[in-house]
Amino acid sequence: TDQFQHHDYLNVDDLLTDEHKMARQAVRDWIKAEVSPIIDDAAMRGVCPTHLFKELAQIGAFGPSLPVEYGGGGMDEIAYGIIMQELERCDSGLRSMASVQGSLVMYPIFKYANEATKKKYLPKLGAGEFIGCFGLTEPNSGSDPGSMSTNIKDAGDHYVLNGAKMWITNSPVADVAVVWARDEDNKIRGMVVESGWEGFSAPEIKGKWSLRASITGELVFEDVKVPKENVFPDIKSLRGPLSCLSKARYGIAWGAIGAALDCYDSALRYSKERSQFGKPIAGFQLTQKKLAEMITEISKAQLLAWRLGTLANRGEATPAQISMGKRNNVMMALEVAREARQIHGGMGITSEYSVMRHMANLESVVTYEGTHDIHLLITGMDVTGENAFGG
Ligand code: TGC
Ligand code: FAD
């Protein structure tokens, strides 16, 4: 990653402002100095470098497009995307740390919590003093979060929370969790739950071959008392969590391009350096086909992300458009990573190169935040008006 060269075949940089480029450079410099030297070791050992949370805050990676007074960066949606791209050029797990904190924890608190709850949690989350997680998925409710069974019951001045969440990024190290649960009227409610409260536990999920530098766990609630002021007052449907997902999926549509760029860069350099049959493998038509298709697909993905960003800046990006971006760009990156791994031959399976780490990471990215097929069905429903999900 150290020797990465910027690839911009269609001069997309022309569409960016100086602020966007400065934000990207700040992340790039920080990653080169602080993360590139440790990321392979962290992934190999399967340990999340939690000391990076505070540093991610300092470089403005948490909620770049949220208002400054609520702990965000006060920038536009394209700056947010560019920052996610640069983080994921290093590692999807690093980008996950920022996506969850900014878009899935700070954003819902900013958007849905009462003023006192915002003041209580947002400054600490924005500064990386608190780590947050987002609990929507359950053991029996993944693609279909509307079937969740985690629930709250009214007990006077507080609610009592029971249930379990599964596959929760950051949960074992989190100070606070944004949790979605069903109330007694069968409505989906959101709330901020502190990890220190009685009845809360968050065991780690071990044995992942993917996102090894990101920590994932469960959330278990056994009669956890949640003060009423911590429950979002006005949001009473899946629209609440899904609106947060739209924000995070948009960031992932940009982020995946970063992983693809790193794989492409590594494959291009390797193909020029590695000779077989008396010439660089870059000189074989089959290698050129791989590289030419990679840069073509990366360029198309950049334009898709940039267009979504311009729409998002005007508040006009629809959830279905964002689904198209997430689905296309993540699968693009996964395919680029697989081809790049092939170009590296046997060397591609080692930690000398980042390609296999990206490839394994992207297997999670293609599944979380809505699987590849779920996003296809969202597009299908948008263009036909027919719902192919249930029944
Ligand atoms: P449906 O009836 O379609 O919708 C329920 C309500 O939500 C509204 N809505 C949205 N609002 C904002 N943004 C979106 N993207 C929205 N999608 C739907 C909708 O208008 C409706 O509103 P209202 O007011 O009428 O109530 O819901 P459904 O039950 O049929 O489900 C639809 C489906 C399948 C598309 C949805 O549930 C889905 O997207 N499933 C995938 C689940 C998912 O993405 N889970 C992600 C968990 S978090 C995660 O993976 C984090 S990893 C992070 C990291 O580490 O980086
Ligand atoms: P399932 O929903 O069981 O899907 C299994 C397969 O069936 C998939 O291929 C799917 O596409 C397919 N399928 C399902 N329904 C249909 C249908 N109607 N038509 C056609 N095919 C269908 N969740 C959180 O809430 N917070 C987090 O922080 C979080 N972080 C995660 C981190 C990691 C590393 C991973 C792997 C997951 C994380 N998730 C998180 C959960 C993630 O969002 C879910 O894994 C994802 O939504 C899919 O749910 P599932 O794994 O239960 O798969």
Side-chain angles (χ1 to χ4, degrees), residues 100 104 134-139 141-144 166-169 208 210-211 216 364 367-374 377 388-390:
V100 169
L104 297 181
F134 176 88
L136 179 65
T137 307
E138 301 186 356
S141 301
S143 297
D144 178 18
M166 177 83 175
W167 295 117
I168 309 304
T169 302
K208 291 181 298 167
S210 173
L211 289 184
T216 318
S364 285
T367 287
Y368 71 30
E369 299 270 7
T371 70
H372 191 66
D373 287 345
I374 289 297
L377 295 178
F389 286 106

Side-chain angles (χ1 to χ4, degrees), residues 116-347:
T117 305
K118 287 183 204 183
K119 291 220 167 76
K120 186 169 178 191
Y121 297 109
L122 285 176
K124 287 202 167 89
L125 287 162
E129 285 164 28
F130 269 10
I131 299 173
C133 69
F134 176 88
L136 179 65
T137 307
E138 301 186 356
N140 294 320
S141 301
S143 297
D144 178 18
S147 66
M148 72 173 67
S149 56
T150 296
N151 61 84
I152 50 170
K153 290 205 166 55
D154 198 328
D157 66 341
H158 63 273
Y159 287 101
V160 177
L161 172 67
N162 276 292
K165 299 287 175 180
M166 177 83 175
W167 295 117
I168 309 304
T169 302
N170 296 344
S171 79
V173 294
D175 301 283
V176 293
V178 167
V179 177
W180 302 92
R182 191 180 289 292
D183 71 11
E184 286 157 294
D185 297 326
N186 224 11
K187 301 270 191 278
I188 307 288
R189 307 293 300 271
M191 65 212 73
V192 186
V193 181
E194 295 188 19
S195 61
W197 292 346
E198 210 177 322
F200 180 110
S201 58
E204 185 177 352
I205 296 173
K206 301 267 196 191
K208 291 181 298 167
W209 288 122
S210 173
L211 289 184
R212 291 179 55 76
S214 162
I215 188 161
T216 318
E218 299 170 45
L219 287 172
V220 182
F221 312 111
E222 289 169 317
D223 291 330
V224 178
K225 286 185 186 166
V226 182
K228 284 208 164 152
E229 68 262 24
N230 274 41
V231 177
F232 304 150
D234 298 323
I235 193 83
K236 295 184 178 173
S237 94
L238 261 193
R239 181 180 288 275
L242 289 173
S243 66
C244 309
L245 294 181
S246 283
K247 193 98 180 142
R249 290 165 177 174
Y250 163 77
I252 292 173
W254 280 90
I257 299 169
L261 279 169
D262 194 47
C263 292
Y264 170 74
D265 175 63
S266 188
L268 182 61
R269 278 188 285 126
Y270 189 84
S271 70
K272 292 187 198 170
E273 288 158 11
R274 175 73 177 170
S275 285
Q276 286 295 287
F277 300 97
K279 67 174 185 180
I281 59 170
F284 298 120
Q285 288 182 349
L286 286 175
T287 312
Q288 290 188 5
K289 178 172 189 289
K290 289 183 171 65
L291 291 165
E293 286 180 351
M294 282 182 200
I295 194 64
T296 305
E297 292 307 314
I298 289 171
S299 302
K300 284 154 67 180
Q302 284 174 315
L303 292 176
L304 176 50
W306 178 82
R307 178 62 186 156
L308 280 179
T310 21
L311 290 173
N313 278 342
R314 303 203 298 249
E316 290 171 8
T318 67
Q321 287 169 334
I322 291 169
S323 280
M324 181 185 281
K326 191 269 182 187
R327 177 175 187 272
N328 182 78
N329 289 9
V330 175
M331 188 52 90
M332 177 285 295
L334 182 55
E335 283 167 357
V336 165
R338 286 172 179 158
E339 293 289 67
R341 220 271 330 131
Q342 293 233 48
I343 289 177
H344 287 76
M347 287 310 291

